[in-house]
């Protein structure tokens, strides 16, 4: 028997669909089956009871309205089968998994496309394009797309944002293979998947722009360390090495720059959200205007803050240097060519420099810097390589920092990537061994297992052995800090080197594999940021380009073109004063990252406590909560949703 007459739902002022109370009715007899349409009515009512549900409008469009019996009585509701899997009535069938996925894809298609476009836009904020304002817009876009979504929906949007972003950013890896590019981009996109879920979960908390910015740093914090020591490419700071945010690196390093960019982006999202709501007359309240203008003012203040940060550049001393770029015969995976070829290129360029010095065409430098892998043979093991280096060093008459691959002295089968100070009188002396070899490029994790499946890994015949100390080397009159190639992307290695007494930084690198792909420009941008962060001049010495001399304020004073033999000469400022970023170290990054994680946990807890969003893509009924209005915008959210449903 029916428990009461049918009722028609009406729209409540807050955007939900309010069910009218049924008049007194006869109770169903014990054991009597519930009406066949009661489950559908209860399901629709449950969905509509949460007006902020991101699925509400799409569900209403995809499913016809049902005039069902009133289900407000406790006895009738107790007879309604749960959503866990029981059908609403005998013979009724739940939609198949593929149909549900297809419906989800249709509902999320527009957001997914926008997320992917936003990710590509973020990639264009990085070199070689360098359109840094796109980093702000991309952060704002992902914040808006994930706002009010469930955790699983936010995760999907984060992945749809992250995977295209890394594919475009890391396209230089196609030299190894497009499968490597797509595979690494996929793995990195998983971190952005977590970011998207976190943004969705925290989007209804008070001060949500702040928690969103913290989560961006949490994502970078994890990606910088996991797995196998992490991969730091794609941090927001590296897209902002020539922007108003750059000077903030002197206060808190790359993490503070990333946080400032992310916070500006999330605040711009709040401004855009407020502007959209103000189209409605009912939403034009003093509180709404205060929220919008406050967010805009704070975003402007953060952007302008960098101009107030002093970037110390006064040198305690100077030293004249020469940077030799010997060049390679061919770019790509097989740039080495025949043995001794690259070494001879650097020897010949140094001999030419020595000849010009003797003729008075060039002032004599105090030291010379060669790049990573400038000796393609172990100079200790191969006398012909050591003799060629010795000839060049004696000709120029000053110490030369040589890059070479050296067999490990005690561990057979391992090789060390070293920078060696070669003196014209004493020969090879102090050296630095790269501390952070690149996984799958310089060593192969789980080699025995993976090499059988991925035969391309056999092209890495020997594993690089990591060094155990910083690269502070006395090179002639200068105490330099050697950092080799990708190590410039990791905060702790340059910071520890400066704190150990380096007066200037040298980045020895070999970009021949990735020449003319944009990768050298991306790495040079990191050198520019490190210069500001540590208040040190940075010299980048590359085999094939881009070699450069960067001043302590991050400006590039000299640089070479790619795939040319060239020599840079000039005075290098030496400094002893360390920045605040060097003093505080990684503490700000840890604090902000932990706050982001705690905000995400808090958002999950509050949503569950209110009976709010679940992470399985559905919503549950929840009671109104004053916390929903912490930013003064959720009530307007409901009004906007109501307008959309009526339209």
């Amino acid at each position: 028997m029916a428990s009461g007459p049918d009722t028609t739902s009406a729209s409540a002022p807050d955007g939900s669909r309010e069910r009218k109370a049924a008049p007194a009715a006869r109770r169903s007899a014990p054991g009597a089956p519930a009406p066949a349409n009661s489950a559908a009515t209860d399901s629709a009512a449950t969905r509509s009871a949460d007006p902020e549900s991101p699925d509400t409008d799409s569900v209403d469009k995809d499913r016809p309205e049902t005039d069902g019996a009133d289900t407000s009585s406790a006895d009738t509701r107790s007879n309604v089968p749960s959503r866990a899997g029981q059908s609403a009535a005998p013979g009724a069938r739940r939609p198949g998994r593929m149909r549900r996925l297809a419906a989800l894809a249709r509902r999320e298609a527009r957001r997914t496309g926008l997320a992917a476009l936003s990710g590509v836009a973020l990639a264009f904020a990085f070199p070689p394009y360098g359109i840094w304002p796109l980093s702000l817009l991309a952060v704002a876009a992902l914040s808006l797309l994930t706002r009010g979504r469930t955790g699983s929906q936010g995760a999907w949007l984060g992945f749809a944002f992250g995977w295209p972003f890394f594919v475009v950013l890391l396209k230089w890896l196609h030299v190894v293979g497009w499968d490597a590019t797509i595979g690494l981009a996929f793995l990195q996109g998983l971190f952005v998947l977590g970011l998207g879920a976190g943004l969705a979960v925290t989007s209804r908390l008070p001060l949500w722009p702040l928690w969103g910015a913290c989560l961006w740093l949490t994502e970078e914090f994890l990606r910088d360390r996991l797995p196998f020591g992490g991969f730091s490419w794609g941090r927001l700071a590296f897209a902002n090495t020539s922007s108003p945010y750059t000077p903030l690196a002197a206060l808190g390093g790359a993490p503070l720059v990333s946080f400032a960019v992310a916070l500006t982006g999330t605040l711009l999202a709040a401004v855009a959200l407020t502007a959209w709501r103000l189209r409605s007359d009912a939403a034009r309240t003093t509180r709404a205007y205060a929220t919008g203008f406050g967010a805009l003012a704070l975003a402007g203040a953060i952007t302008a803050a960098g101009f107030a940060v002093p970037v110390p550049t006064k040198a305690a001393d100077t030293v004249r240097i020469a940077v030799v770029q010997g060049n390679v015969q061919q770019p790509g995976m097989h740039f080495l060519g025949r043995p001794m070829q690259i070494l001879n290129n650097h020897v010949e360029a140094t001999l030419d420099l020595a000849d010009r010095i003797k003729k008075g065409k060039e002032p004599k430098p105090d030291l010379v810097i060669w790049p990573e892998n400038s000796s393609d043979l172990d100079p200790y093991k191969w006398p012909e390589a050591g003799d060629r280096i010795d000839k060049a060093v004696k000709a120029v008459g000053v110490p030369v920092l040589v890059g070479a691959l050296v067999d490990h002295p005690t561990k057979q089968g391992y090789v060390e990537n070293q920078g060696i100070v070669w003196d014209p009188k004493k020969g090879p002396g102090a050296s630095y061994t790269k501390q952070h070899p690149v996984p799958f490029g310089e060593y192969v994790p789980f080699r025995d297992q993976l090499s059988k499946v991925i035969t391309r890994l056999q092209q890495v015949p020997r594993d690089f052995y990591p060094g155990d100390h910083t690269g502070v080397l006395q090179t002639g009159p200068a105490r330099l800090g050697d950092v080799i190639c990708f190590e410039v992307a990791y905060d702790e290695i340059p910071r520890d080197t400066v704190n150990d007494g380096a007066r200037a930084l040298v980045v020895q690198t070999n970009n021949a594999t990735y020449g003319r792909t944009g990768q050298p420009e991306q790495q040079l941008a990191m050198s520019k940021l490190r210069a500001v962060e540590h208040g040190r001049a940075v010299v980048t010495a590359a085999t094939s380009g881009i070699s450069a001399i960067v001043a302590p304020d991050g400006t590039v004073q000299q640089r070479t073109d790619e795939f040319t033999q060239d020599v840079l000469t000039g005075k290098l400022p030496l400094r002893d004063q360390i920045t605040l970023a060097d003093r505080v170290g990684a503490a700000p990054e840890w604090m902000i990252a932990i706050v982001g994680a705690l905000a995400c946990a808090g958002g999950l807890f509050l949503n569950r406590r209110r009976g709010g969003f679940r992470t399985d893509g559905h919503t549950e009924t929840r009671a109104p909560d004053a916390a929903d209005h912490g930013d003064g915008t959720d009530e307007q959210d409901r009004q906007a949703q109501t307008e959309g449903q009526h339209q």
Side-chain angles (χ1 to χ4, degrees):
M1 297 175 63
S3 60
D6 292 346
T7 59
T8 303
S9 60
S11 297
D14 64 353
S16 63
R17 300 203 173 195
E18 188 181 70
R19 290 173 296 176
K20 297 180 180 179
R26 294 169 294 174
R27 293 179 177 265
S28 299
N37 62 353
S38 64
T41 305
D42 187 75
S43 176
T46 303
R47 283 194 305 273
S48 63
D50 187 356
E52 297 175 341
S53 166
D55 286 355
T56 304
D57 53 349
S58 45
V59 170
D60 287 343
K61 292 176 183 177
D62 292 342
R63 186 176 304 179
E65 301 251 344
T66 304
D67 291 327
D70 176 60
T71 56
S72 58
S73 82
D75 294 85
T76 304
R77 191 171 304 181
S78 66
N79 291 329
V80 177
S82 69
R83 274 180 137 173
Q86 298 182 14
S87 59
R93 297 171 59 187
R94 286 171 56 88
R97 179 181 295 273
M98 294 306 298
R99 290 183 60 190
R100 294 199 302 273
L101 290 176
L104 176 63
R106 287 196 302 272
R107 290 197 302 269
E108 296 297 319
R110 187 176 67 171
R111 286 177 181 264
T112 300
L114 290 173
L117 287 175
S118 300
V120 171
L122 179 58
F124 278 85
F126 290 79
Y129 316 104
I131 312 173
W132 66 263
L134 289 177
S135 61
L136 305 176
L137 299 179
V139 170
L142 186 59
S143 299
L144 291 172
L145 289 169
T146 55
R147 179 161 171 78
R149 313 301 284 174
T150 65
S152 57
Q153 290 168 339
W156 168 250
L157 292 171
F159 184 71
F161 177 98
W163 196 4
F165 162 58
F166 282 109
V167 167
V168 177
L169 180 73
L170 305 178
K171 64 180 178 61
W172 45 264
L173 198 58
H174 80 272
V175 175
V176 179
W178 277 107
D179 55 340
T181 302
I182 294 171
L184 180 58
F186 177 86
L187 293 175
Q188 297 300 299
L190 295 178
F191 289 92
V192 190
L193 178 150
L195 169 64
L199 291 174
V201 167
T202 58
S203 65
R204 293 192 178 278
L205 293 177
L207 304 177
W208 60 269
L210 175 61
W211 314 133
C214 291
L215 283 168
W216 273 92
L217 202 66
T218 305
E219 180 267 337
E220 291 187 358
F221 176 90
L222 294 173
R223 194 162 52 78
D224 187 38
R225 291 162 173 82
L226 301 171
F228 309 118
F231 185 71
S232 288
W233 241 258
R235 298 167 70 181
L236 294 175
F238 295 151
N240 286 269
T241 59
S242 299
S243 78
Y245 303 95
T246 308
L248 296 174
L251 301 181
L256 183 60
V257 177
S258 287
F259 177 70
V261 172
L263 183 55
T264 304
T266 56
L267 287 169
L268 290 178
V271 172
L273 199 63
T274 301
W276 178 260
R277 291 165 178 154
L278 290 177
R279 298 176 308 139
S280 169
D281 292 338
R284 294 172 186 168
T285 63
T286 302
R287 187 173 187 177
Y289 280 108
T291 298
F293 283 113
L296 183 61
L298 185 55
I302 295 170
T303 304
F307 295 107
V309 176
V311 178
T313 59
K314 185 178 180 180
D317 196 3
T318 61
V319 63
R320 177 167 286 278
I321 65 168
V323 184
V324 176
Q325 178 176 297
N327 201 15
V328 300
Q329 271 58 41
Q330 57 186 358
M333 288 289 291
H334 305 289
F335 67 90
L336 285 172
R338 60 182 175 81
M340 294 281 291
Q341 197 168 45
I342 293 178
L343 174 57
N344 282 329
N345 288 348
H346 288 83
V347 169
E348 291 167 4
T350 305
L351 292 175
D352 181 66
L353 172 64
D355 184 61
R356 286 187 284 121
I357 292 172
K358 289 179 182 179
K359 293 179 179 179
K361 296 180 180 180
E362 190 77 52
K364 184 176 181 179
D366 298 306
L367 59 96
V368 176
I369 300 171
W370 285 9
E372 177 190 25
N373 301 154
S374 48
S375 177
D376 46 10
L377 291 177
D378 182 350
Y380 299 113
K381 181 178 180 181
W382 300 91
E384 57 266 48
D387 291 344
R388 291 291 287 165
I389 296 172
D390 203 53
K391 179 180 179 180
V393 174
K394 287 180 178 178
V396 77
V398 297
V400 177
L401 181 61
V402 178
L405 298 182
V406 177
D407 291 343
H408 195 282
T410 60
K411 295 185 178 295
Q412 188 174 3
Y414 286 92
V415 65
E416 294 179 321
N417 192 350
Q418 287 191 349
I420 307 167
V421 179
W422 206 289
D423 188 83
K425 296 180 180 179
K426 301 177 182 178
S431 64
Y432 165 67
T433 300
K434 187 176 183 179
Q435 302 175 70
H436 199 304
V438 179
F440 303 103
E442 294 176 328
Y443 77 98
V444 179
F446 311 111
R447 175 181 287 274
D448 293 339
Q449 296 78 17
L450 292 179
S451 295
K452 297 176 183 177
V453 180
I454 309 174
T455 57
R456 187 183 301 160
L457 296 177
Q458 297 172 8
Q459 296 183 31
V460 185
R462 296 188 295 171
D463 289 339
F464 284 36
Y465 199 85
D468 57 4
H469 59 80
T470 60
V472 180
L473 301 171
Q474 189 69 39
T475 309
R479 192 168 63 250
L480 303 179
D482 193 13
V483 175
I484 297 180
C485 202
F486 279 21
E487 289 184 326
V488 71
Y490 298 93
D491 296 341
E492 66 276 6
I493 293 177
R495 181 174 59 238
D496 292 345
T497 303
V498 169
N499 284 333
D500 280 351
R503 306 183 75 194
L505 291 174
V506 174
V507 181
Q508 291 182 294
T509 185
N510 175 15
N511 293 326
T513 300
Y514 307 112
R516 299 193 180 102
T517 63
Q519 188 270 355
E521 286 92 343
Q522 292 177 5
Q523 192 169 332
L524 179 60
M526 299 175 190
S527 294
K528 292 167 60 179
L529 185 73
R530 298 306 180 194
V532 177
E533 179 177 356
H534 305 294
R536 295 291 187 273
V538 178
V539 178
T540 298
T543 52
S544 58
I546 304 170
S547 300
I549 300 175
V550 183
D553 63 356
T555 58
V556 178
Q557 296 181 326
Q558 298 183 57
R559 58 165 286 172
T560 65
D561 294 326
E562 291 189 69
F563 296 105
T564 59
Q565 188 175 97
D566 203 350
V567 176
L568 300 178
T569 60
K571 287 187 176 181
L572 187 72
L574 304 177
R575 302 187 71 255
D576 297 305
Q577 183 183 0
I578 62 175
T579 63
L580 179 61
D582 290 320
R583 291 190 177 93
V584 300
E589 182 185 22
W590 277 87
M591 291 174 59
I592 297 172
I594 290 173
V595 168
L598 291 176
C600 187
L604 284 171
F605 174 77
L606 290 177
N607 285 335
R608 290 181 181 277
R609 185 176 180 182
R610 298 178 203 156
F613 294 113
R614 298 202 306 259
T615 57
D616 59 357
H618 300 293
T619 56
E620 293 178 341
T621 310
R622 67 173 181 174
D625 194 310
D628 288 347
H629 307 288
D631 62 355
T633 58
D634 289 274
E635 184 174 358
Q636 299 164 24
D637 267 342
R638 287 193 291 271
Q639 293 172 354
Q641 281 193 346
T642 303
E643 293 174 4
Q645 290 172 5
H646 288 323
Q647 291 173 357

